Each structure stands twice: as structure tokens, then as C-alpha cells.
Amino acid sequence: MTTPARSRLTRPRLPEPRGPVSAGVVEALRSGGSPVTGGAEATADPYGEDLQLALYVLYELHYQGFEGAPADDSREWDPGLLALRATLEQPFLAALRADAERPASAAAALDALLVEPAGHRPGSVSHHLRRTHRLPELREYAALRSLYHLKEADPHAWMIPRLRGRAKAGLVAVEYDEFGAGRAEDVHARLYAELMAELGLEPAYGHYLDAAPAAVLATVNLMSLFGLHRALRGALVGHFAAVEVTSSPGSRRLADALRKAGAGPAAVRFYEEHVEADAVHEQVVRRDVVAGLLADEPELDADVAFGVAATSLLEDRLGALLLDAWTRDRSALLPGHHAEAVARPA
């Protein structure tokens, strides 16, 4: 029988810093003061552990916040924290623009995602997990993806006030499904918490932040970066479309992997829900959200294409990290955290 996912009213604790920038952010939140980084943000790797953790913590102030951060509700719009965030966003966004492919158009970028190989695809995490169906790897994957799935669809909700007409209606229709279609028990974040409990993982929001490498944080930070800047609304639509286009086949493979691994019905249900729902969502997103946005603002076509390409870039980077670890029979979690993904603390 599935262990019910525990309801947590407490916020996640502040993470352990990974360098001078994230140390300055964490200490500022803990003390209530201003961030002191010694100028380290000027040379921080845009994809590195320090910058990505600092960005994640700063973005989290717009979501649930942290335990151990006095008055962090009031610091969501703190000028000093926002200034540092802007400084960190610049190299991250510049790196994405430099490294992501440049599709000819939004339509071309999305069409490329629809090409599914007939057999196993090297470099694909879902193909790998379906083929190996190793429970420790599935647990690690679930733990790492929890940083997004426990707030699934929240970052995309930033789009709602920035769209209009057909695009807004289509987006809200998809988001309504993501948030359980009016049923709290069917909210996708709750279904994911039940998946985690089924796999013996801790389902509390943000629990695995300290275990997640920068490549995981970057995939979540991308949504917040796009969502919190109206100027990047086209890129967020591109990200949203990329997720919906690729979700259904990937979810089918992950559901197969969990069944083969002997996981219970609550674990399988999360992905089965996405197989059917996201097949429909893909059509709504392309026909209404993307097409509606570009009908209103055709000049955003390149931004939508960039959002798709940046999403693929970061997912490929994460996939390479996971598969490199697993093919070497190593944990993909940061050192010292492997046991956390194997069993939920008592």
C-alpha cells in the first residue's frame, strides 16, 4: 500500500553554500542583512554550482521561501538581493544565448522535438531508464526532479498576466489541468509527492536541494528567469511548449520503467497522467498558446525559438551528467547525499 505523502506546512531549510556567492546570499537571508560576496559574482561560472545555487535561492523567495530566513516574506523585493540577482542573471542568460542552437523559427524548433527514434536513443535519460529500470537510478531521478515537480506549473503561471486572447485562454486551460482541474487531490505536485513516498523518498518541498547538482538547478532556474521577466515572455512560451511537446512520450517511457522496476501504482500514476494529458496539451500549446502569441506579437518568434533551444540545451547537459554517473555505477547526487535518495528519513 502506498505511504501517504506527508503534508508539510514548514518551508525548506536554507541550503549549504557552494561558494562565495551562494554563501553571501544564504548569510544575508539568515542574518537579515545585505549580501556580501566579495565581487565573486564577476567571475562565477554561469553554469557552476555557486552561481546556480545563489540564483535558485534568490528565485525561491518568489515561491515558498526558507526556514531559518527571518522575514524572508518581506525580502522578496529587497533591492540589494534583486540587484545581485540581476548581476547573476546576466552571465547565465548570455551563456544560454551563446550556447543554445539557433532554430530558423519557433515552428522549426518545435517540429524538431516531434522526431522520435524507432528504438533506444543514446543520451536520453527516459530511454535509459526504460531499458535498465534500476530502482536506485529511478529514485535518484525522482529526487532530483522534485525541485521542479513539487511546484509543477508554478513558474509558467507567470505568463498569465503577460498574454492575452487565444494565447492566455490556451495557457490557462493547460494550467487548470496541471493544478488538478479543481481537485486538490489531483494537483500534479501532489501526485509527484505521492510518487516520491511510493519510492521511499522524502516528499517534503525542497528537501533534496542540497543533493542536486548545478545542472538540475539550472533547469529550474531557467523557468524562473524567463517567468520573472516580462521581456522574456516569448522565451517562457517556448520553454512551456518544449515541455509539453516532449512530455507525453517521455512520460510513457518513465511509467514503463517504474512498472518494470516493481514500483507501486502511485509512482506509475504520475507519469501515466502525463501521457494522455500532455498529448492533448501539446496540441493546445501549439495551436493556441504559441500561435496565439505570435499572431499578436510576431516579433517574438525568435524569442520562442530561443526558449525551446535553451530548454533543450539544459536538458541535454543534465542528461549527460546523469548518464555519465549511472554508466559508471556512481550516484548522480552530490557527494554525501546518496543515502537520502535511497530511503526517506524516519
Side-chain angles (χ1 to χ4, degrees):
M1 179 178 293
T2 301
T3 302
R6 286 179 282 176
S7 174
R8 291 298 180 90
L9 298 178
T10 57
R11 299 172 175 182
R13 63 181 176 82
L14 283 164
E16 290 297 318
R18 302 180 193 178
V21 182
S22 54
V25 171
V26 169
E27 180 55 30
L29 292 178
R30 184 176 286 124
S31 68
S34 298
V36 178
T37 63
E41 62 272 20
T43 57
D45 177 358
Y47 299 125
E49 299 292 343
D50 192 25
L51 185 144
Q52 288 297 325
L53 179 61
L55 266 183
Y56 186 95
V57 172
L58 290 168
Y59 285 143
E60 186 57 33
L61 298 179
H62 298 288
Y63 297 103
Q64 297 296 320
F66 294 96
E67 286 292 328
D72 75 341
D73 283 349
S74 65
R75 304 202 73 192
E76 180 179 4
W77 303 109
D78 180 281
L81 295 176
L82 289 176
L84 177 59
R85 195 189 86 189
T87 299
L88 299 177
E89 288 174 333
Q90 291 170 10
F92 183 36
L93 185 57
L96 292 169
R97 292 196 184 280
D99 297 339
E101 293 184 4
R102 299 184 181 183
S105 65
L110 292 171
D111 286 345
L113 296 179
L114 292 171
V115 179
E116 277 283 308
H120 176 73
R121 191 184 85 184
S124 166
V125 172
S126 61
H127 278 88
H128 169 85
L129 290 172
R130 183 176 64 176
R131 186 178 65 174
T132 62
H133 52 84
R134 295 173 183 154
L135 196 54
E137 293 176 0
L138 286 162
R139 283 174 168 157
E140 285 196 356
Y141 185 75
L144 294 175
R145 286 298 197 185
S146 70
L147 294 186
Y148 168 62
H149 284 305
L150 291 180
K151 60 182 173 195
E152 183 168 335
D154 289 349
H156 296 127
W158 293 108
M159 281 189 288
I160 295 173
R162 292 164 181 174
L163 302 179
R164 58 181 183 263
R166 182 155 52 110
K168 177 177 285 192
L171 171 66
V172 171
V174 174
E175 290 280 272
Y176 180 68
D177 287 346
E178 301 286 351
F179 293 129
R183 296 181 294 274
E185 65 273 17
D186 291 336
V187 171
H188 286 186
R190 176 167 175 171
L191 297 183
Y192 199 81
E194 292 171 354
L195 172 151
M196 296 181 75
E198 184 83 80
L199 294 178
L201 297 168
E202 170 55 62
Y205 179 94
H207 177 78
Y208 290 99
L209 176 55
D210 277 330
V216 176
L217 304 184
T219 63
V220 185
N221 286 341
L222 183 71
M223 289 177 263
S224 299
L225 170 65
F226 290 166
L228 288 168
H229 291 274
R230 188 169 62 85
L232 294 172
R233 63 194 178 281
L236 186 58
V237 167
H239 180 282
F240 185 61
V243 169
E244 296 299 333
V245 166
T246 58
S247 176
S248 184
S251 293
R252 181 177 291 106
R253 288 188 288 269
L254 291 168
D256 288 345
L258 286 163
R259 276 191 290 265
K260 291 177 181 178
V268 176
R269 183 192 173 194
F270 174 82
Y271 287 110
E272 285 185 330
E273 173 77 13
H274 285 71
V275 172
E276 292 188 13
D278 289 346
V280 176
H281 292 171
E282 175 208 329
Q283 298 300 316
V284 175
V285 170
R286 294 198 66 168
R287 182 186 66 244
D288 295 327
V289 183
V290 175
L293 172 70
L294 296 182
D296 288 337
E297 301 181 271
E299 68 277 10
L300 294 183
D301 187 271
D303 288 350
V304 176
F306 167 63
V308 175
T311 303
S312 297
L313 170 71
L314 294 185
E315 288 296 330
D316 288 347
R317 288 176 61 90
L318 173 57
L321 181 146
L322 296 176
L323 295 177
D324 179 69
W326 293 339
T327 55
R328 295 170 185 264
D329 291 322
R330 297 175 182 170
S331 171
L333 278 64
L334 290 180
H337 292 280
H338 179 251
E340 291 190 24
V342 176
R344 187 174 63 216

